[in-house]
Amino acid sequence: MVSEHPDAPDGDTAALALKILVAGGFGVGKTTLVGAVSEIRPLRTEELLSEAGQLVDDTDGVNQKVTTTVAMDFGRITIRSGLSLYLFGTPGQDRFWFLWDELSQGALGAVVLADTRRLEACFPAVDYFEHRHIPFVVAVNCFSGARAYGAHDVSRALDLDRGTPVVLCDARDRDSGKEVLIRLVEYAGRMHTARLLDSVG
C-alpha cells in the first residue's frame, strides 16, 4: 500500500504511507513489536488461550503465553517526515492463515520474526513471502536465555534466498524495532526498483 498521508504537514506534498506486515510463528513477539514501535495506541485482537486451542496450538517453548492474536495487530510509525508505516501483525497459528492473503494485499514488504529456540515456526511465513515475491527481512528476536546465533547461521538454517536480510533485534525495544523496519523499507525499495528496471529492460 502506497498512498498519500492525509495528515501531512503543509508544504509536504510527497508524504507516503506504506503497508508493512509483521509475521512469524506463534509466540515470537509480533504483537510486542507492533506495540513497541507504534506511535498510536495499537489495535489488538488478542483472546485468551483456551483448552480447546491447546489441542491445535503448539505452545512448546512459550508455556507462559496466555493470549493469542486471532485477526491482526495494527499500529503506525513515522520513520521520517513524509514517510509513515502502517503495521499489520498477522496471526501465528495455521488455522488463521486464511487471513494472510487479505492482509498481504498492497503490502510493500514484511518482517518475519524468528525465535532461534523454535526456528522452524517461521518456515511457513518465509515460504509464503518467497512464493509471492513479497520482499521481507528476517528479524531474530533475541530472547533472554536463548542461544545466540549470527545472522549468517540463521540465513543458512532457513535456506533464505541470497541477499535476504537477517537482523538481530529486541521486539520490546522501540529503537531496535524501528531499525528493523528501516532495513525492510530500504531492502524492499531496492527490490521494487530492480523489478521495475527488469520490466523495462
Side-chain angles (χ1 to χ4, degrees), residues 30-48:
K30 299 180 297 294
T31 298
T32 300
L33 176 65
V34 172
V37 301
S38 181
E39 62 199 14
I40 61 172
R41 182 178 179 181
L43 168 68
R44 293 180 172 148
T45 57
E46 288 198 304
E47 295 291 341
L48 290 172

mmCIF file of all heavy atoms in Angstrom, residues 30-48:
data_model
loop_
_atom_site.group_PDB
_atom_site.id
_atom_site.type_symbol
_atom_site.label_atom_id
_atom_site.label_comp_id
_atom_site.label_asym_id
_atom_site.label_seq_id
_atom_site.Cartn_x
_atom_site.Cartn_y
_atom_site.Cartn_z
ATOM 1 N N LYS A 30 5.310 -10.841 17.697
ATOM 2 C CA LYS A 30 4.721 -9.936 16.697
ATOM 3 C C LYS A 30 3.920 -8.812 17.352
ATOM 4 O O LYS A 30 4.088 -7.636 17.023
ATOM 5 C CB LYS A 30 3.838 -10.732 15.733
ATOM 6 C CG LYS A 30 4.580 -11.804 14.953
ATOM 7 C CD LYS A 30 3.671 -12.572 14.022
ATOM 8 C CE LYS A 30 2.581 -13.356 14.725
ATOM 9 N NZ LYS A 30 3.115 -14.461 15.564
ATOM 10 N N THR A 31 3.041 -9.178 18.279
ATOM 11 C CA THR A 31 2.240 -8.180 18.986
ATOM 12 C C THR A 31 3.130 -7.243 19.778
ATOM 13 O O THR A 31 2.900 -6.027 19.826
ATOM 14 C CB THR A 31 1.215 -8.878 19.906
ATOM 15 O OG1 THR A 31 0.325 -9.672 19.114
ATOM 16 C CG2 THR A 31 0.413 -7.867 20.701
ATOM 17 N N THR A 32 4.165 -7.795 20.377
ATOM 18 C CA THR A 32 5.099 -6.991 21.165
ATOM 19 C C THR A 32 5.808 -5.968 20.291
ATOM 20 O O THR A 32 5.932 -4.794 20.656
ATOM 21 C CB THR A 32 6.138 -7.903 21.849
ATOM 22 O OG1 THR A 32 5.453 -8.817 22.716
ATOM 23 C CG2 THR A 32 7.147 -7.092 22.644
ATOM 24 N N LEU A 33 6.277 -6.388 19.105
ATOM 25 C CA LEU A 33 6.984 -5.477 18.200
ATOM 26 C C LEU A 33 6.073 -4.341 17.736
ATOM 27 O O LEU A 33 6.465 -3.167 17.787
ATOM 28 C CB LEU A 33 7.523 -6.244 16.991
ATOM 29 C CG LEU A 33 8.209 -5.395 15.924
ATOM 30 C CD1 LEU A 33 9.475 -4.757 16.476
ATOM 31 C CD2 LEU A 33 8.529 -6.221 14.689
ATOM 32 N N VAL A 34 4.861 -4.679 17.295
ATOM 33 C CA VAL A 34 3.931 -3.645 16.835
ATOM 34 C C VAL A 34 3.640 -2.659 17.962
ATOM 35 O O VAL A 34 3.652 -1.440 17.769
ATOM 36 C CB VAL A 34 2.627 -4.269 16.294
ATOM 37 C CG1 VAL A 34 1.596 -3.182 15.993
ATOM 38 C CG2 VAL A 34 2.909 -5.095 15.044
ATOM 39 N N GLY A 35 3.416 -3.169 19.160
ATOM 40 C CA GLY A 35 3.123 -2.303 20.294
ATOM 41 C C GLY A 35 4.295 -1.427 20.698
ATOM 42 O O GLY A 35 4.116 -0.282 21.105
ATOM 43 N N ALA A 36 5.512 -1.962 20.563
ATOM 44 C CA ALA A 36 6.703 -1.214 20.979
ATOM 45 C C ALA A 36 6.991 -0.035 20.060
ATOM 46 O O ALA A 36 7.416 1.025 20.519
ATOM 47 C CB ALA A 36 7.916 -2.145 21.034
ATOM 48 N N VAL A 37 6.771 -0.205 18.758
ATOM 49 C CA VAL A 37 7.157 0.852 17.815
ATOM 50 C C VAL A 37 6.008 1.798 17.476
ATOM 51 O O VAL A 37 6.246 2.906 16.988
ATOM 52 C CB VAL A 37 7.727 0.267 16.499
ATOM 53 C CG1 VAL A 37 8.940 -0.590 16.775
ATOM 54 C CG2 VAL A 37 6.676 -0.508 15.721
ATOM 55 N N SER A 38 4.767 1.400 17.712
ATOM 56 C CA SER A 38 3.634 2.206 17.262
ATOM 57 C C SER A 38 3.543 3.515 18.029
ATOM 58 O O SER A 38 3.655 3.549 19.263
ATOM 59 C CB SER A 38 2.317 1.429 17.423
ATOM 60 O OG SER A 38 1.234 2.209 16.958
ATOM 61 N N GLU A 39 3.323 4.611 17.294
ATOM 62 C CA GLU A 39 3.161 5.922 17.915
ATOM 63 C C GLU A 39 1.702 6.208 18.261
ATOM 64 O O GLU A 39 1.391 7.227 18.878
ATOM 65 C CB GLU A 39 3.694 7.007 16.974
ATOM 66 C CG GLU A 39 2.957 7.085 15.650
ATOM 67 C CD GLU A 39 3.753 7.799 14.576
ATOM 68 O OE1 GLU A 39 4.979 8.007 14.761
ATOM 69 O OE2 GLU A 39 3.158 8.148 13.549
ATOM 70 N N ILE A 40 0.816 5.317 17.849
ATOM 71 C CA ILE A 40 -0.580 5.400 18.266
ATOM 72 C C ILE A 40 -0.871 4.188 19.137
ATOM 73 O O ILE A 40 -0.096 3.220 19.153
ATOM 74 C CB ILE A 40 -1.544 5.417 17.049
ATOM 75 C CG1 ILE A 40 -1.398 4.120 16.238
ATOM 76 C CG2 ILE A 40 -1.300 6.640 16.177
ATOM 77 C CD1 ILE A 40 -2.440 3.960 15.137
ATOM 78 N N ARG A 41 -1.966 4.244 19.862
ATOM 79 C CA ARG A 41 -2.346 3.079 20.652
ATOM 80 C C ARG A 41 -2.655 1.932 19.695
ATOM 81 O O ARG A 41 -3.548 2.059 18.841
ATOM 82 C CB ARG A 41 -3.568 3.388 21.500
ATOM 83 C CG ARG A 41 -3.989 2.235 22.388
ATOM 84 C CD ARG A 41 -5.170 2.621 23.248
ATOM 85 N NE ARG A 41 -5.593 1.506 24.086
ATOM 86 C CZ ARG A 41 -6.618 1.553 24.920
ATOM 87 N NH1 ARG A 41 -7.315 2.664 25.030
ATOM 88 N NH2 ARG A 41 -6.940 0.498 25.646
ATOM 89 N N PRO A 42 -1.912 0.828 19.772
ATOM 90 C CA PRO A 42 -2.112 -0.245 18.778
ATOM 91 C C PRO A 42 -3.461 -0.927 18.945
ATOM 92 O O PRO A 42 -3.965 -1.084 20.055
ATOM 93 C CB PRO A 42 -0.962 -1.210 19.069
ATOM 94 C CG PRO A 42 -0.577 -0.951 20.483
ATOM 95 C CD PRO A 42 -0.869 0.506 20.749
ATOM 96 N N LEU A 43 -4.026 -1.298 17.796
ATOM 97 C CA LEU A 43 -5.232 -2.127 17.793
ATOM 98 C C LEU A 43 -4.796 -3.572 17.949
ATOM 99 O O LEU A 43 -3.924 -4.045 17.207
ATOM 100 C CB LEU A 43 -5.990 -1.946 16.479
ATOM 101 C CG LEU A 43 -7.112 -2.948 16.200
ATOM 102 C CD1 LEU A 43 -8.262 -2.731 17.178
ATOM 103 C CD2 LEU A 43 -7.597 -2.838 14.767
ATOM 104 N N ARG A 44 -5.397 -4.267 18.894
ATOM 105 C CA ARG A 44 -5.042 -5.672 19.115
ATOM 106 C C ARG A 44 -6.311 -6.509 19.100
ATOM 107 O O ARG A 44 -7.363 -6.077 19.558
ATOM 108 C CB ARG A 44 -4.318 -5.846 20.452
ATOM 109 C CG ARG A 44 -2.947 -5.183 20.462
ATOM 110 C CD ARG A 44 -2.257 -5.361 21.774
ATOM 111 N NE ARG A 44 -0.881 -4.891 21.697
ATOM 112 C CZ ARG A 44 -0.218 -4.353 22.707
ATOM 113 N NH1 ARG A 44 -0.799 -4.235 23.880
ATOM 114 N NH2 ARG A 44 1.025 -3.955 22.560
ATOM 115 N N THR A 45 -6.182 -7.716 18.600
ATOM 116 C CA THR A 45 -7.320 -8.653 18.594
ATOM 117 C C THR A 45 -6.888 -9.918 19.323
ATOM 118 O O THR A 45 -6.925 -11.006 18.767
ATOM 119 C CB THR A 45 -7.770 -8.974 17.154
ATOM 120 O OG1 THR A 45 -6.661 -9.514 16.426
ATOM 121 C CG2 THR A 45 -8.277 -7.735 16.451
ATOM 122 N N GLU A 46 -6.475 -9.743 20.569
ATOM 123 C CA GLU A 46 -5.994 -10.883 21.346
ATOM 124 C C GLU A 46 -7.124 -11.508 22.156
ATOM 125 O O GLU A 46 -8.002 -10.821 22.670
ATOM 126 C CB GLU A 46 -4.871 -10.445 22.293
ATOM 127 C CG GLU A 46 -3.570 -10.126 21.592
ATOM 128 C CD GLU A 46 -2.407 -10.117 22.548
ATOM 129 O OE1 GLU A 46 -2.464 -9.367 23.531
ATOM 130 O OE2 GLU A 46 -1.441 -10.853 22.317
ATOM 131 N N GLU A 47 -7.069 -12.809 22.249
ATOM 132 C CA GLU A 47 -8.005 -13.564 23.068
ATOM 133 C C GLU A 47 -7.207 -14.508 23.958
ATOM 134 O O GLU A 47 -6.081 -14.904 23.623
ATOM 135 C CB GLU A 47 -8.967 -14.372 22.190
ATOM 136 C CG GLU A 47 -9.906 -13.521 21.338
ATOM 137 C CD GLU A 47 -10.941 -12.763 22.141
ATOM 138 O OE1 GLU A 47 -11.192 -13.159 23.313
ATOM 139 O OE2 GLU A 47 -11.487 -11.776 21.619
ATOM 140 N N LEU A 48 -7.801 -14.882 25.088
ATOM 141 C CA LEU A 48 -7.152 -15.831 25.978
ATOM 142 C C LEU A 48 -7.051 -17.192 25.305
ATOM 143 O O LEU A 48 -7.965 -17.614 24.591
ATOM 144 C CB LEU A 48 -7.940 -15.967 27.288
ATOM 145 C CG LEU A 48 -7.911 -14.762 28.229
ATOM 146 C CD1 LEU A 48 -8.880 -14.976 29.378
ATOM 147 C CD2 LEU A 48 -6.495 -14.540 28.763
#
